[in-house]
Amino acid sequence: MWLLRQDCSGSLRGHRDQITSMKFVQARSLEGTSTSSNAYDQSLMFLVTCSKDTFVKLWDLSTRHCVQSVVAHRSEVWTLDVNPTEDVLLTGGGEGEVKAWKIDHDALRSGVEEMTPGQLTKMLCPMSALPIASKHRVSQIAYHPTSPFLAIQSHDKSIDIFRIRTEEEIRKKQARREKRAKEKKGQKPAVGEEVEMDAEKEDKEIQLVDLYTPYLIIRTNGKVRSFNFVANDTGSKGVQIFIALSTNAVEVHSIPNPSKSKEVPESTRMYSLDLPGHRTDIRSVSLSNDEQLLATASNGLLKIWNVKSMQCIRTFECGHAVCCTFLPGDRHAVVGTKSGDILLFDIAASSLLETVKAHSATVWSIDVRPDIGGLVSGSADKDVKFWDIEEKANEDLSNRKVCSLVHTRTLKMSDEVLAVKYSPNMRFLAVALLDATVKIFYQDTLKFFLSLYGHKLPVLSLDISSDSKLIITSSSDKNVKIWGMDFGDCHKSIFAHDDSIMKVAFIPRTHHFISVSKDRWVKHWDADKFDLIQKFDGHHGEIWALAVGRSGMMAVTGSHDKSIRYWENTGEAMIPWEEKEVYRQKEEDAQLAEEMNREDRPIGSGVEGADAIDSTERTEATAVQKHTAESLMASEKIVEAIELADKEMESIREYNVALEKIPESQRTQVGPPPRNPTLVALDITPEAYVLQTVEKVHSAALYDALLALPFSQVVRMFFYMDIWASKGTATTLTSNMLSYLLRIHSSQIVATRSLKPLLLSLRAHLRLALTRQKAQIGYNLAALKFLKRQEEDARTAEFYERGERQQWTEDEVKKMKEKMQNGEGKKRKRVSIKT
């Protein structure tokens, strides 16, 4: 649980599996109603949670304990929501069922009590199930905060909207139902019976099926990931709902308000944001020779981007694209598809020029010949085909020639072809096969030259250096191998990533290369020294594609998260061993944090067979002590600041002692000691520097940082906190820190008698500072109450003055009373209060 000041107040443990949804609930006060401003008791706050362990739990946040656990569904509970009046809870399960639970506010106010022997108060009472059309998993339930609508998503591409009937509508429906039942039996109720029926109808309990009625179904263009009602919509035309799709798009739909018309209501899509990006995984990227254009291919779309402006300038529809590249001249793009076709696009004309039935299976790789006269394609049909680029006359425009691909020869392989690559000197052609080998042929005669063995799993990508001396291969076995092109010897095998390495590419005119993997990392390597130079994170999914510019100053990656990331070589000097030290330090911090965060703790107050541990670890509610690299770093910074301030204070103390020993006539000749350069640059005192360091620590990590402090530094922290309290600075921060440090170091503090004078001084100074703050807050509060009384008197005077001029109607009197109770009717004014 996190307070609004952003520090964590505690954690609640009780669920055995992933928590899927939660909602706050406030107990209703005895005086208030569900619609009045004083309806809820602010001191009685509860939290409802649901989990994949099939449980729904109700937590009392005042005591931080679970007060009721309910087995809600037969399978995982995926979502829940509470209606605006907070008296009905709906839960959705994995079996496609929506259940309703009544929230008993009387039980919430009274707390857990024993009604009968062995029976406790039930705050969540089952009502019934709400029938829905779909039997898929219920992913999300949401009430509109003001309008009578309920939204339930239980299907991939649709959202069911229910209308919540008023009590009057429900009574009319029940009366019509009973009337029809009487008519079917052939009986007509008498006049006296109708009066009795009306009385019974008012006492009859409202059924859930009568309360929620299906209104309409919103259908979207893709799978719905989440949705939410627009709370501040402008009422008359309907309610708006904001929907996020898994296709990297968002939509806004409008739901019409209920009307007496018999027409079936339909939702309308008002806005849609889906133009720039891809809808599916980006499987291939390619840069033009001048690095001005970028081609990205996915399932169904080929997009051309302007690299400088980062804008999409062309979008082509294609099949399931697997690879793509620019042709010489950068005016045409070629795409290899999963169906075995090669598509040729004219970028300037935004048209598909040709569809070539090149292979009978997936085209995994395409590479342009270095002499820019043709290209080669490799496919899962075990063929490597060579194509020449020629110009032919267009049938539609006879005076214009268009680009075309002409098949010249075919190389048969023993297994499926996964990657092909020409050497820059035009001597060799490298072919990666499914059998985890790489075959190298002479490009002109296609005679066999070398075979590279060593990978345990298929080679997914390969590249050859600009000087044609090195070849690198990446595989599903998570290794990158560096080979010599002269004899085919393996120079080095590097365990480069934690998952399959999808692409590798040399940086032109160097022996440096870049690798990308499903582990979401982009890494920069030196193929001569076999060292990792840099690694970059940024993608949120598996990285499928990589392209490096001809200048070597930029690289582009495409990922499963449907994003394209542009990486630029800044040209800054970098020392590899320093980068290694940074990575090593990060790994050590992560390991240390993981060791300090134990997850194998029993939950509850008495777990059988558990190891003997401290009683504080058996509670359902605990303080949050999750150590992270940030909190450990913050602790180190606080220690450094205390040590620096101690040295400065010690030098000042020694200087003052030395001055006392010197006669007054000679004291002017002795200068003060040189101050620390850090304090001189910041122009602050030592205690102010410690305070500044503590305030810079994020509030969420402050308690963890204090927990990691050694006790010797805690004693020094008390000294500086005493100085802060005596000056009246950071009183709130000092109080919170003091409370936490006294709680976690109570045993050592009690055993250290030398701390008593310091703590007594700190208590006196802190009490004085808190008393001043209390007086200031009381003065301001009294001033605000005075202003409130003045405002109420002015409204009362206005009420009676108008009453003398003209007669008030009952409706006007009622509205005016409501405005006066709710504090409405006049605009707020800014008032400056001087203390």
Side-chain angles (χ1 to χ4, degrees), residues 85-108:
T85 57
E86 296 191 357
D87 53 6
V88 176
L89 169 70
L90 292 183
T91 59
E95 74 280 6
E97 189 176 15
V98 177
K99 289 186 177 181
W101 308 81
K102 184 179 179 181
I103 301 175
D104 190 346
H105 284 267
D106 294 333
L108 293 181

Side-chain angles (χ1 to χ4, degrees), residues 288 293-295 302-305 313-316 326-334 344-353 394 397 400-403:
S288 61
L293 299 177
L294 169 69
L302 169 69
K303 289 182 175 287
I304 308 297
W305 306 78
I313 58 176
R314 295 287 188 276
T315 299
F316 302 96
F326 282 96
L327 291 185
D330 299 332
R331 295 184 179 181
H332 301 85
V334 174
L344 178 60
F345 293 94
D346 188 338
I347 298 173
S350 300
S351 61
L352 174 63
L353 294 181
N394 194 342
L397 301 173
R400 181 185 172 190
K401 292 185 177 181
V402 296
C403 189

Side-chain angles (χ1 to χ4, degrees), residues 343-515:
L343 309 179
L344 178 60
F345 293 94
D346 188 338
I347 298 173
S350 300
S351 61
L352 174 63
L353 294 181
E354 190 177 14
T355 300
V356 182
K357 301 292 183 181
H359 297 271
S360 59
T362 305
V363 181
W364 287 112
S365 179
I366 294 176
D367 188 41
V368 178
R369 211 162 60 210
D371 64 357
I372 67 173
L375 56 86
V376 62
S377 62
S379 169
D381 62 2
K382 305 180 183 180
D383 287 346
V384 177
K385 292 190 177 182
F386 299 85
W387 310 82
D388 284 343
I389 303 172
E390 296 183 357
E391 291 185 350
K392 67 177 183 179
N394 194 342
E395 298 177 356
D396 299 331
L397 301 173
S398 57
N399 58 348
R400 181 185 172 190
K401 292 185 177 181
V402 296
C403 189
S404 177
L405 297 178
V406 179
H407 179 228
T408 56
R409 51 183 177 168
T410 301
L411 177 63
K412 297 286 186 179
M413 304 303 296
S414 60
D415 211 333
E416 296 183 14
V417 179
L418 300 181
V420 291
K421 185 69 178 179
Y422 279 110
S423 64
N425 62 4
M426 273 291 292
R427 288 192 61 194
F428 304 109
L429 172 70
V431 181
L433 303 179
L434 189 64
D435 60 3
T437 64
V438 177
K439 308 289 186 183
I440 300 178
F441 300 88
Y442 288 102
Q443 185 273 142
D444 49 0
T445 61
L446 297 184
K447 288 184 177 179
F448 177 76
F449 174 59
L450 289 173
S451 183
L452 307 180
Y453 295 93
H455 283 289
K456 298 177 181 179
L457 294 173
V459 176
L460 301 177
S461 177
L462 55 86
D463 197 17
I464 301 174
S465 61
S466 300
D467 55 7
S468 300
K469 292 183 178 180
L470 294 179
I471 178 173
I472 52 173
T473 57
S474 66
S475 169
S476 298
D477 60 9
K478 310 172 188 176
N479 286 295
V480 171
K481 291 185 181 291
I482 305 170
W483 315 78
M485 285 290 289
D486 45 5
F487 302 108
D489 54 325
C490 181
H491 292 183
K492 186 69 174 179
S493 180
I494 305 173
F495 185 79
H497 290 269
D498 296 329
D499 209 332
S500 301
I501 304 172
M502 304 308 297
K503 285 287 182 181
V504 287
F506 270 109
I507 297 175
R509 297 175 297 281
T510 68
H511 281 180
H512 293 179
F513 67 91
I514 297 174
S515 63

Side-chain angles (χ1 to χ4, degrees), residues 15-36:
H15 284 290
R16 299 284 180 175
D17 207 338
Q18 177 183 343
I19 298 173
T20 53
S21 184
M22 60 183 67
K23 200 76 175 178
F24 285 104
V25 175
Q26 282 183 277
R28 193 177 300 155
S29 61
L30 288 170
E31 297 81 5
T33 61
S34 60
T35 57
S36 62

Side-chain angles (χ1 to χ4, degrees), residues 72-126:
H73 294 264
R74 297 188 300 272
S75 60
E76 299 94 341
V77 185
W78 284 95
T79 181
L80 61 82
D81 197 18
V82 180
N83 66 339
T85 57
E86 296 191 357
D87 53 6
V88 176
L89 169 70
L90 292 183
T91 59
E95 74 280 6
E97 189 176 15
V98 177
K99 289 186 177 181
W101 308 81
K102 184 179 179 181
I103 301 175
D104 190 346
H105 284 267
D106 294 333
L108 293 181
R109 285 193 302 270
S110 61
V112 180
E113 297 177 350
E114 189 174 8
M115 308 299 292
T116 58
Q119 294 292 329
L120 299 178
T121 308
K122 290 187 178 181
M123 304 175 185
L124 297 178
C125 304

